[in-house]
Amino acid sequence: MIQVSRRTMLMSTGALVLAAVMAGPSGALAADKVLKIGQLGVMSGPEASWGLVNKFSALATAEMWNEKGGIEIGGDKYKIEIVSVDDRNDPKLTVSGAERLTGEGIKYIIGPNMDTTATSVRPIAEKNKALYFPYAFARSLYTAPAENAVLGMVASYQVAPVMYKILKEERGVKKIAFIARNDSDGLLQREEGVKVAEALGLEIVSKDDTYESSITDFFPVVGNVVAKNPDLIVMSSVAPAHAPQIMRAAREMGYTGLFGAESAQDMKIINEVAGEMGSGLISIGGASTPEIRSPYMEEFIDRYTKIAGEWNDEAGTKAYALEMILGTLQKAGPAAIDDIEVFKAAIPEFEMKNPFLKEDAVVKYVGTADFGQKRQIGVPMVITETKDGELTTLSIGSVE
Amino acid sequence: MTQILVNGMLLSANYALIALGITLIFSIMNVLNFAHGQMFMIGGFVVYYAVVVWGLPFPLGLLGAAVIVGVIGMVVESVFFRRVMKNSSREENTMLLAVGTALLLENVALSLFGEKQRGIPPIISGVYRLGDAFLPANRLLVLGISLALIAAVLLFVNYSRTGRAMRALAQDRTATLLMGVDVPRISTLGFGLGAALAGIAGALLISISGVNAGIGTAISTKAFIMIMIGGAGVMSGALLGAVTLGFAEALGYAFFPGSVTYLIIFIGLILFLLFRPQGIMGKPWG
Amino acid sequence: MAAVLDATADTAPNRGTTEMRRFLMTAVPLAIALYGVIPLVVGGQPYWLNVLTNACLLSFGSLGVWLTFSIGRVNIAQGAFALIGGYTTGVLTTMLGLSFWIALPLSGIVAATIGILIGWPLLRLRGIYFAMVTLSLTEAARLAFVNAGSVGHGVLNIPNPPGINSPLAFYLFAATMLLAGFVAIWRLNVSRIGWVFRSMRQNEELASSIGIDIARFRVLAFAICCFMGGIAGGCFASLQQNIYPQTYTVADSINFMLYCFLGGLEFVLGPIVGTFALVIAFELLRSIQEYQALVYGILMIVVMLFLPNGLLSLRGLISRRAGGAK
């Protein structure tokens, strides 16, 4: 009796696996050709918004194209299908997710979102010959010999020199303080920021204050920083959830200076949490400030809002990934769909009109200055400032 | 220095509500409510929807949070815990169930409320000065409400009939049963009250620091630290633990680099437990 | 108490063969499933091989946690020791250029040593106190590594185990580790030490009163648990080729504990069944991506409510329902 039940237990595990395999994702046998693009990111837990914004942005773009009949590559029209995998910010799941996506023949993957997960994907991508578009800033991902990753947005260490310089020259900032999240991303960004500040000759009044990502009350930490009287408080690797809380706490303590964030923030949350104390935040945006948007961007925002339920300013920067992939595939030809080498060959010369900006601008692959090779999407570096509940554009630049 | 003391006081009051709630549940049911942080989070979301989405006044939102989370606590106790406590062969099974409840509540919240961070504007604006320390009016209000609630809970537990029944249950379940007390009803009420306290804490704190669907585990961890310091199952222990943690954070962030503050708190906690494993006020285990 | 006396006095040859038979009844089907069924069914699918590799290594770690359950402690610190093991492997292979086959056992030993140092005093705590302290340990480990200088930014480019570089090879390696771990824990469980552990779980004071050095045995169990955690962490570090302070969070420690529970704490096979069931269930739920986490949480509660003694207690329930004499 005993052995039958135990064996049954083990056999049923095997049967479960068998059933899963048979019920697994089948190839699309639609009449239209289908282009499958993968999306791998953190979509549950505290950092869920990072990955969900990727997913909703990709879905919005895909829908917009599919309504027009799909994307034309080499004379054929392809319907775009986004295959999403949640890695819960766990590198083990990122690896199996990547295997799953590449196992379906997908060669282009948007994501992952963090250093830990993106570096875990690297061996899989290189082994299975796939190209991934992470939103993590670790330089090792984009510098040779690594060449299968393309950074999807502007890196914090690229923003810092431009941002601090503008603030020093145009707003008279002399004293700078840093407050960082206590994990590898936050501390790394702070160190990069400190280097930039030193190079610009700014006086660093505080650079040891950090907070746990599980923090509930910013008062003690912020109090330290405010007491040292900076003109600019840089929030290294701050999550959109925390920035307004830091701002509010600082303002409640009488801080009258500016705030800086080298990652995209969300105006709605800032308004909800900080209210009138939400002004004076200098951060990086995509094309979501009203005065520089193109009609295509307006349509994207509409579509995104329908899919996600509400707009998220983070999508301003994440809107570019899928458009760039599609544009490059069009240029490189249908062979690139299954062969990333053809895609990679098209990267150096590729450029297309920036669909999201009102003005006539091109977007191309950049990154030579920081990585020695073009492994970054040239998302325009739009530096924004929050003023009375709205985002206003401070400057538009680009990365080399 | 005044600011540090003010910060410590504010943090302690916030934490005290959380500690009281989890202690109440533990003392009555002998169950460590792993889902305490998630209940805190739901309380915050109730207030968010009440105040920001539906435009109701804050006191109504606060009441709603207490009631809704309290009901959730009572349902969890009567549907989940009572069943498992009857059928299981090991006492750890209830702890496992608590963990499962936590996961369930968190995932339900993520599905219902979405993943975005939510906050509400300050209930009252303005900042007071105390010496050279800043004291935002909003925080003072939260401090006041917290202290009032703590006093109310202590009075209830010590002087009301139901409260005394709960204390009796905490001391000796069998004897209480023999005395004719409706033990299942008191257990459910106790769990509900503990949960409601967590919900109120979340409702109050959303006006200070906001809430998102994922903060449950972090809050629960803080609750555990507090009852480890103060001693589980004892109200005074809960309060002592809250005060200790609140001031430790305030002092720690002021005098140590931020990245080591919590490391020092943990090391201090572990060393403290080596000498006094049951916490300051706890009864020796066994 | 009686169990301990039995263990020391009973030398009947019959017991030996029944034990062997029971062991083979479990180990052989397990080996068949791991080496035969799985490669046959999913040998050509790197995705499922990867999922099952994770399941094997996580089971290995959960077996360690099971051992601490057997002395009556709820251990929510396995993530910390996986982190320590992972960092040891990472640092030894990248900075000291040691071979993986040397670094891996060292990872286990380092984790076990730290486990002994921390565990000796902490194992005096029991019940929820011990659980809460171990929960704090996971966080404390993460913070310690964040502040550990350059490795706080993560260790990258950890090489794969030499000679192992295909999904099938990873899987077979992990499956072998799992089987080895299973055999070791089984043998430990039926040995005299295992009986001592069980008597301690039932009543520590009583065990101590008949002369068992409970402090030493407690630390032994905990050290073995940490050793297994360290090894699992080292293997993962080599497979993912990186390790960061936040690679193992409180959630991972809780998972190790949950897998044991859901499988069934009375059986050595429990952690393995629990891990495989949960890991596979999570992957199978991918098709309902929106509600994946929610359904996963609901499933877990359902199992806890209806099978509070674990999945493997199903066997007992079935035999009772079928009228078996039990």
Side-chain angles (χ1 to χ4, degrees):
Chain A
M1 186 67 205
I2 300 173
Q3 61 270 34
V4 170
S5 296
R6 277 195 193 148
R7 228 184 261 132
T8 318
M9 191 61 65
L10 290 165
M11 289 311 172
S12 52
T13 312
L16 213 64
V17 170
L18 190 65
V21 160
M22 307 234 263
S26 53
L29 295 169
D32 269 330
K33 288 193 165 201
V34 174
L35 174 66
K36 287 207 241 181
I37 306 280
Q39 183 262 323
L40 180 61
V42 44
M43 296 193 269
S44 50
E47 295 102 3
S49 65
W50 300 121
L52 281 171
V53 173
N54 284 120
K55 175 176 164 189
F56 297 141
S57 301
L59 284 173
T61 304
E63 235 182 62
M64 282 161 67
W65 278 101
N66 286 346
E67 269 176 14
K68 292 183 251 173
I71 180 144
E72 185 175 326
I73 303 176
D76 282 316
K77 282 237 168 182
Y78 292 82
K79 285 286 167 87
I80 307 166
E81 184 190 319
I82 308 288
V83 184
S84 277
V85 172
D86 178 7
D87 72 2
R88 306 184 114 195
N89 219 13
D90 183 348
K92 302 187 271 302
L93 293 177
T94 320
V95 169
S96 48
E99 288 278 14
R100 182 186 173 108
L101 290 171
T102 49
E104 283 185 44
I106 295 175
K107 294 291 185 191
Y108 300 96
I109 301 175
I110 299 175
N113 302 98
M114 314 283 276
D115 281 348
T116 48
T117 45
T119 45
S120 301
V121 164
R122 184 177 155 192
I124 310 295
E126 287 173 359
K127 174 174 63 103
N128 296 342
K129 309 224 186 335
L131 209 62
Y132 58 111
F133 292 75
Y135 289 83
F137 300 147
R139 284 178 204 265
S140 60
L141 292 167
Y142 314 106
T143 323
E147 47 167 50
N148 283 33
V150 178
L151 177 55
M153 56 191 275
V154 180
S156 57
Y157 42 81
Q158 294 166 326
V159 176
V162 178
M163 189 193 285
Y164 301 177
K165 187 150 185 283
I166 292 180
L167 293 176
K168 172 180 172 191
E169 289 170 3
E170 292 178 24
R171 307 289 274 263
V173 161
K174 294 198 194 53
K175 292 187 281 185
I176 186 170
F178 290 89
I179 183 170
R181 198 175 65 218
N182 196 17
D183 62 19
S184 49
D185 283 76
L187 297 176
L188 202 65
Q189 284 193 34
R190 179 191 64 194
E191 278 169 28
E192 301 268 358
V194 165
K195 275 188 241 164
V196 172
E198 284 171 349
L200 279 171
L202 294 167
E203 184 192 334
I204 304 178
V205 297
S206 161
K207 60 179 163 79
D208 287 314
D209 294 291
T210 63
Y211 57 91
E212 300 305 317
S213 36
S214 57
I215 192 169
T216 50
D217 197 332
F218 281 92
F219 230 60
V221 187
V222 173
N224 270 352
V225 180
V226 170
K228 303 188 187 134
N229 250 325
D231 302 315
L232 169 68
I233 297 179
V234 172
M235 305 182 281
S236 302
S237 186
V238 67
H242 290 151
Q245 295 177 45
I246 296 177
M247 290 166 63
R248 193 164 121 185
R251 293 263 184 252
E252 280 172 347
M253 287 196 224
Y255 177 67
T256 50
L258 295 169
F259 297 95
E262 292 139 1
S263 45
Q265 303 300 317
D266 186 313
M267 198 66 228
K268 177 150 190 248
I269 299 179
I270 294 177
N271 282 337
E272 272 176 11
V273 176
E276 63 215 4
M277 295 185 249
S279 300
L281 169 66
I282 320 288
S283 69
I284 180 136
S288 37
T289 47
E291 65 247 35
I292 57 173
R293 283 181 203 158
S294 67
Y296 191 78
M297 182 67 180
E298 301 271 354
E299 204 193 318
F300 176 82
I301 294 179
D302 260 340
R303 194 60 61 111
Y304 182 100
T305 314
K306 270 206 207 78
I307 293 177
E310 58 185 326
W311 174 244
N312 188 328
D313 285 316
E314 271 188 70
T317 46
K318 298 188 174 171
Y320 286 86
L322 187 52
E323 293 282 354
M324 278 299 264
I325 296 176
L326 294 175
T328 318
L329 282 175
Q330 277 185 315
K331 171 90 175 302
I337 297 180
D338 295 309
D339 185 353
I340 61 168
E341 296 303 320
V342 181
F343 189 102
K344 282 195 219 169
I347 286 182
E349 305 290 317
F350 178 78
E351 63 177 45
M352 69 180 193
K353 176 174 180 345
N354 187 329
F356 300 116
L357 286 181
K358 206 191 299 193
E359 61 169 36
D360 235 338
V362 290
V363 60
K364 51 191 166 100
Y365 289 95
V366 296
T368 329
D370 285 283
F371 312 122
Q373 51 178 354
K374 288 193 178 180
R375 283 295 181 269
Q376 181 177 6
I377 298 181
V379 176
M381 196 190 313
V382 179
I383 299 188
T384 58
E385 179 180 355
T386 56
K387 226 185 245 174
D388 304 320
E390 296 279 324
L391 282 171
T392 60
T393 315
L394 208 56
S395 95
I396 304 182
S398 53
V399 180
E400 278 318 307
Chain B
M1 191 62 197
T2 332
Q3 184 72 64
I4 299 177
L5 291 176
V6 166
N7 290 342
M9 203 174 55
L10 294 172
L11 285 170
S12 302
N14 296 336
Y15 290 158
L17 279 177
I18 301 174
L20 275 181
I22 199 172
T23 299
L24 191 62
I25 295 175
F26 181 73
S27 67
I28 296 181
M29 310 268 311
N30 217 29
V31 164
L32 188 61
N33 185 19
F34 264 83
H36 212 71
Q38 278 74 18
M39 293 175 182
F40 171 97
M41 174 260 295
I42 294 178
F45 271 108
V46 169
V47 166
Y48 170 76
Y49 277 97
V51 171
V52 173
V53 177
W54 295 321
L56 300 170
F58 180 78
L60 212 56
L62 194 59
L63 189 63
V67 167
I68 292 179
V69 180
V71 165
I72 293 178
M74 293 200 278
V75 166
V76 162
E77 195 277 339
S78 48
V79 173
F80 294 161
F81 279 96
R82 207 175 298 171
R83 194 202 162 98
V84 169
M85 283 171 91
K86 260 196 296 187
N87 291 344
S88 66
S89 60
R90 296 170 75 126
E91 63 169 34
E92 295 98 339
N93 287 347
T94 45
M95 196 185 307
L96 167 69
L97 183 65
V99 174
T101 320
L103 269 156
L104 181 68
L105 285 177
E106 182 158 314
N107 289 327
V108 166
L110 202 58
S111 294
L112 272 181
F113 302 133
E115 76 295 348
K116 274 183 113 175
Q117 171 85 6
R118 304 292 182 191
I120 66 173
I123 312 166
I124 49 176
S125 42
V127 185
Y128 296 120
R129 300 294 303 264
L130 193 69
D132 55 344
F134 290 90
L135 190 54
N138 183 48
R139 282 166 182 261
L140 200 55
L141 181 66
V142 168
L143 176 70
I145 299 180
S146 306
L147 289 175
L149 276 171
I150 293 169
V153 168
L154 289 174
L155 283 173
F156 173 78
V157 165
N158 282 316
Y159 296 112
S160 82
R161 234 176 124 205
T162 324
R164 277 181 291 165
M166 288 183 192
R167 274 192 303 141
L169 200 54
Q171 277 184 357
D172 194 323
R173 203 176 187 97
T174 328
T176 317
L177 198 58
L178 290 172
M179 290 290 196
V181 174
D182 186 348
V183 167
R185 191 180 78 97
I186 299 290
S187 296
T188 312
L189 271 176
F191 208 107
L193 183 58
L197 282 172
I200 294 178
L204 288 174
L205 252 75
I206 189 178
S207 69
I208 294 179
S209 56
V211 75
N212 72 64
I215 59 171
T217 316
I219 300 284
S220 294
T221 309
K222 288 204 187 174
F224 297 159
I225 295 179
M226 287 188 273
I227 57 180
M228 277 194 273
I229 297 174
V234 186
M235 293 289 190
S236 50
L239 293 174
L240 272 171
V243 168
T244 312
L245 185 63
F247 278 95
E249 265 191 34
L251 289 163
Y253 279 124
F255 293 123
F256 297 115
S259 55
V260 293
T261 307
Y262 249 91
L263 183 60
I264 293 179
I265 290 180
F266 278 125
I267 294 179
L269 175 68
I270 292 176
L271 288 173
F272 170 72
L273 286 174
L274 296 183
F275 296 109
R276 204 171 163 84
Q278 69 269 36
I280 303 178
M281 304 291 299
K283 303 176 240 337
W285 189 261
Chain C
M1 161 99 172
V4 178
L5 292 175
D6 275 344
T8 43
D10 192 340
T11 49
N14 281 341
R15 228 179 100 252
T17 39
T18 348
E19 291 294 346
M20 188 52 111
R21 191 148 27 105
R22 273 181 62 200
F23 171 67
L24 287 175
M25 293 297 188
T26 327
V28 170
L30 180 65
I32 293 177
L34 287 177
Y35 286 123
V37 174
I38 290 178
L40 216 64
V41 170
V42 293
Q45 306 204 11
Y47 164 59
W48 278 109
L49 281 176
N50 186 279
V51 170
L52 293 167
T53 309
N54 289 343
C56 287
L57 291 176
L58 288 172
S59 306
F60 192 85
S62 298
L63 275 170
V65 178
W66 184 89
L67 202 63
T68 42
F69 269 121
S70 74
I71 59 161
R73 299 283 190 284
V74 178
N75 178 8
I76 317 183
Q78 193 69 315
F81 294 99
L83 189 61
I84 293 173
Y87 257 100
T88 311
T89 302
V91 167
L92 289 180
T93 49
T94 54
M95 295 188 190
L96 294 181
L98 289 181
S99 153
F100 173 76
W101 302 114
I102 302 181
L104 188 63
L106 279 177
S107 307
I109 292 175
V110 168
T113 313
I114 297 182
I116 294 174
L117 287 171
I118 298 185
W120 194 287
L122 286 184
L123 280 159
R124 284 185 286 154
L125 300 170
R126 291 187 226 178
I128 63 157
Y129 287 103
F130 186 75
M132 289 193 289
V133 157
T134 51
L135 197 78
S136 314
L137 272 179
T138 315
E139 259 296 281
R142 181 187 72 87
L143 286 172
F145 278 107
V146 163
N147 285 301
S150 67
V151 297
H153 296 314
V155 179
L156 301 178
N157 297 318
I158 304 175
N160 277 333
I164 296 182
N165 45 26
S166 76
L168 188 61
F170 288 147
Y171 168 72
L172 290 172
F173 167 66
T176 310
M177 296 239 54
L178 175 59
L179 209 56
F182 173 75
V183 170
I185 297 291
W186 181 288
R187 293 302 313 279
L188 190 64
N189 195 39
V190 300
S191 74
R192 179 173 172 270
I193 299 180
W195 285 103
V196 170
F197 286 163
R198 269 193 291 285
S199 72
M200 283 166 58
R201 172 162 81 78
Q202 286 181 348
N203 195 323
E204 258 192 28
E205 278 75 23
L206 201 49
S208 170
S209 73
I210 62 164
I212 295 178
D213 188 343
I214 50 175
R216 188 125 51 97
F217 278 99
R218 281 196 303 236
V219 172
L220 178 64
F222 193 65
I224 298 176
C225 168
C226 299
F227 179 80
M228 295 180 82
I231 299 262
C235 289
F236 271 121
S238 183
L239 290 181
Q240 289 160 16
Q241 302 191 277
N242 65 60
I243 184 109
Y244 291 87
Q246 60 264 34
T247 303
Y248 293 100
T249 60
V250 170
D252 291 296
S253 291
I254 292 181
N255 279 338
F256 279 119
M257 182 198 62
L258 273 180
Y259 298 148
C260 279
F261 252 116
L262 282 175
L265 288 173
E266 303 298 319
F267 314 97
V268 182
L269 199 58
I272 302 180
V273 167
T275 311
F276 272 82
L278 283 176
V279 168
I280 293 177
F282 185 75
E283 294 297 324
L284 289 178
L285 288 173
R286 280 212 183 279
S287 47
I288 47 164
Q289 213 263 306
E290 296 281 306
Y291 300 104
Q292 181 183 24
L294 183 60
V295 174
Y296 184 70
I298 294 177
L299 270 178
M300 204 181 296
I301 286 275
V302 164
V303 171
M304 284 182 205
L305 286 181
F306 294 104
L307 289 173
N309 294 319
L311 286 171
L312 285 177
S313 66
L314 209 49
R315 146 178 93 95
L317 280 180
I318 292 178
S319 69
R320 267 207 303 277
R321 294 269 167 88
K326 227 354 179 240

